[in-house]
Amino acid sequence: MDLIRNALTSLKLWLDWLPDQVVSLLILLLAGAIAYSLHKSVRKLLRAMLAERYPYILSVFTQMRGVTRLGLLILAIVIAIPAAPLDPATADWLGRLLLIAVIGLIGWVAITALNIAADLYLRQFRIDTDDNLLARKHLTQVRVLMRAADVLVVIVTVGAVLMTFEPVRQYGVSLFASAGVAGIVAGLAARPVLSNLFAGVQLAMTQPIRIDDAVIVENEWGTIEEITSTYVVVRLWDWRRMIVPLTYFIEKPFQNWTRETAALIGSAMIYVDYGAPVETIRKKFEEIVKQSKHWDGRVVNLQVTEARERTVELRCLMSARSAGHAFDLRCEVREKLIEFLQSEYPEALPRQRSDVTLDSKAGNPRHASGQPQAKAPKKAARKAAGRR
């Protein structure tokens, strides 16, 4: 460090013929360029050393790229300031600016360290599997708490920066001294932000929803895609995104299909005629389900759940590993059962019946309702008889 400072002092003496402002600017720019070049060279060296053998450590250094660059730049300017011929006012202003930069750097380091620790913790969980309940639980907790921690770090950092200014510090003291009405107004103004922030912490602790949960919100089916510090992004089945405030999941009812486990029981309703062979349809249904790749081998059942005026309702129950598999299995069962009935038992499909009786006096056919049926024209009757 003394060597660098001596070199900058020699440069100042060599540029003594220039104005002090120009010499100071050149020294500061040279110090910044040296810091940037050093940072870039070290990055290339680390990438060559760690890319193949330690990829995760390299990713950690990549995440800290901005932090280390800013830290080297601040260090270079701190070293260069004593060698630069600055007037007291400019030196004081630059010192204040460096203090703010150091405070911001500390906050940035804290946020980066929290993110790296969270990534390292979540590496032991995999969410791309069917039974990912534990992984989704930890992922949701870490993400929500991380966002709350980031907000807290930013607030503390901004407060520390503001407290470096004497007018703001005096205003803060006077504000605390006369906190009555001002505190109430500030609390009312910040109520939406604070309520969502507290709701996020509550969601992380109690976990009524998790990342990748299948939910029904406002009569729309979808999956939890993202949980931020103020809202939740629900990816709907048709790829639309529903943005819902965090407080919604605390204050209003909703359906969570994967609260305890990812496995679900799906149902498919089939309507058939009263003459349909239920036992044969049940055996075919079990055959279809057992041959499907979406079935998890747990539940398969067919029952007559309702007998209506013209049709019989068959409820097909089947279990699957996840909501997506359950939906695909339900569609597969519907398609193959309908195809089976069309090819093997077409008379089992729903039909419209009409009872007809013969009027003994006039010889006219009558419907069951008692209304006489219109006679066929005589010429048409003769033609029909001739064809026979």
Side-chain angles (χ1 to χ4, degrees):
M1 187 176 295
D2 292 335
L3 181 62
I4 297 175
R5 187 175 290 119
N6 292 334
L8 292 175
T9 304
S10 301
L11 178 64
K12 181 184 70 171
L13 295 176
W14 183 69
L15 297 175
D16 193 39
W17 54 277
L18 291 173
D20 291 345
Q21 293 82 357
V22 176
V23 174
S24 300
L25 181 61
L26 289 176
I27 291 176
L28 294 178
L29 289 177
L30 179 61
I34 293 173
Y36 180 80
S37 301
L38 179 62
H39 182 269
K40 191 173 182 180
S41 301
V42 172
R43 276 191 58 211
K44 289 183 178 180
L45 180 62
L46 288 176
R47 186 181 296 112
M49 294 174 57
L50 304 175
E52 296 182 358
R53 298 182 60 184
Y54 305 102
Y56 181 73
I57 298 179
L58 180 61
S59 68
V60 171
F61 281 110
T62 302
Q63 293 182 53
M64 298 179 63
R65 176 179 52 194
V67 175
T68 53
R69 184 187 295 125
L70 179 59
L72 279 177
L73 182 60
I74 294 174
L75 180 61
I77 294 177
V78 169
I79 296 174
I81 284 178
L86 297 171
D87 58 274
T90 305
D92 182 67
W93 175 83
L94 190 58
R96 179 68 60 85
L97 185 62
L98 285 176
L99 177 60
I100 294 174
V102 169
I103 295 174
L105 178 64
I106 294 173
W108 194 357
V109 168
I111 292 176
T112 305
L114 288 173
N115 290 331
I116 293 174
D119 292 340
L120 183 62
Y121 176 74
L122 292 176
R123 281 172 61 88
Q124 57 185 321
F125 303 103
R126 294 191 58 184
I127 200 171
D128 56 347
T129 59
D130 291 328
D131 189 12
N132 57 1
L133 178 63
L134 184 63
R136 291 188 291 107
K137 175 181 178 181
H138 289 276
L139 179 63
T140 302
Q141 283 184 335
V142 170
R143 285 191 177 179
V144 175
L145 292 178
M146 277 296 303
R147 287 184 171 87
D150 289 347
V151 171
L152 183 61
V153 170
V154 170
I155 292 174
V156 172
T157 303
V158 173
V161 170
L162 292 177
M163 293 301 288
T164 60
F165 298 94
E166 192 65 28
V168 176
R169 186 185 306 168
Q170 293 178 356
Y171 177 75
V173 173
S174 63
L175 181 62
F176 281 118
S178 58
V181 178
I184 296 175
V185 173
L188 291 176
R191 180 182 175 276
V193 177
L194 295 177
S195 60
N196 280 303
L197 183 61
F198 291 136
V201 175
Q202 187 174 354
L203 284 177
M205 295 295 101
T206 60
Q207 291 199 340
I209 57 172
R210 304 182 184 94
I211 299 294
D212 208 35
D213 265 349
V215 297
I216 295 182
V217 181
E218 299 291 330
N219 296 323
E220 294 278 4
W221 184 88
T223 56
I224 303 297
E225 184 177 50
E226 184 181 2
I227 302 177
T228 69
S229 57
T230 56
Y231 61 86
V232 176
V233 179
V234 181
R235 185 180 70 249
L236 303 182
W237 64 274
D238 55 358
W239 296 354
R240 290 178 296 151
R241 265 61 175 180
M242 178 183 291
I243 310 300
V244 185
L246 280 176
T247 53
Y248 180 93
F249 295 96
I250 302 297
E251 300 173 352
K252 295 183 180 181
F254 63 95
Q255 295 185 35
N256 190 337
W257 288 11
T258 53
R259 177 69 177 85
E260 296 296 335
T261 177
L264 286 174
I265 295 179
S267 64
M269 300 299 182
I270 303 294
Y271 297 92
V272 296
D273 188 77
Y274 269 84
V278 176
E279 187 60 33
T280 303
I281 297 175
R282 180 180 289 112
K283 292 180 180 179
K284 183 62 179 179
F285 163 68
E286 293 177 355
E287 177 186 344
I288 293 171
V289 172
K290 291 177 180 179
Q291 292 177 355
S292 175
K293 63 180 181 180
H294 304 294
W295 187 51
D296 65 352
R298 297 171 64 184
V299 176
V300 53
N301 188 20
L302 185 145
Q303 293 176 315
V304 178
T305 53
E306 191 170 349
R308 300 181 178 178
E309 295 179 357
R310 296 183 177 87
T311 58
V312 175
E313 181 184 81
L314 305 180
R315 186 181 68 177
C316 308
L317 295 180
M318 63 226 91
S319 59
R321 294 184 296 275
S322 64
H325 286 291
F327 180 81
D328 293 336
L329 181 58
R330 292 163 61 195
C331 295
E332 181 181 354
V333 166
R334 291 192 194 99
E335 294 174 3
K336 292 186 177 181
L337 276 183
I338 292 174
E339 181 181 358
F340 169 73
L341 292 175
Q342 288 175 341
S343 60
E344 302 295 333
Y345 297 95
E347 69 279 1
L349 296 173
R351 292 179 292 171
Q352 183 72 28
R353 287 182 171 83
S354 179
D355 295 334
V356 180
T357 57
L358 185 64
D359 190 343
S360 58
K361 295 182 179 180
N364 296 329
R366 287 178 176 271
H367 285 285
S369 60
Q371 298 294 332
Q373 186 177 11
K375 290 184 177 181
K378 293 182 179 180
K379 293 184 179 180
R382 292 196 191 99
K383 289 182 180 181
R387 289 172 188 163
R388 293 175 185 171

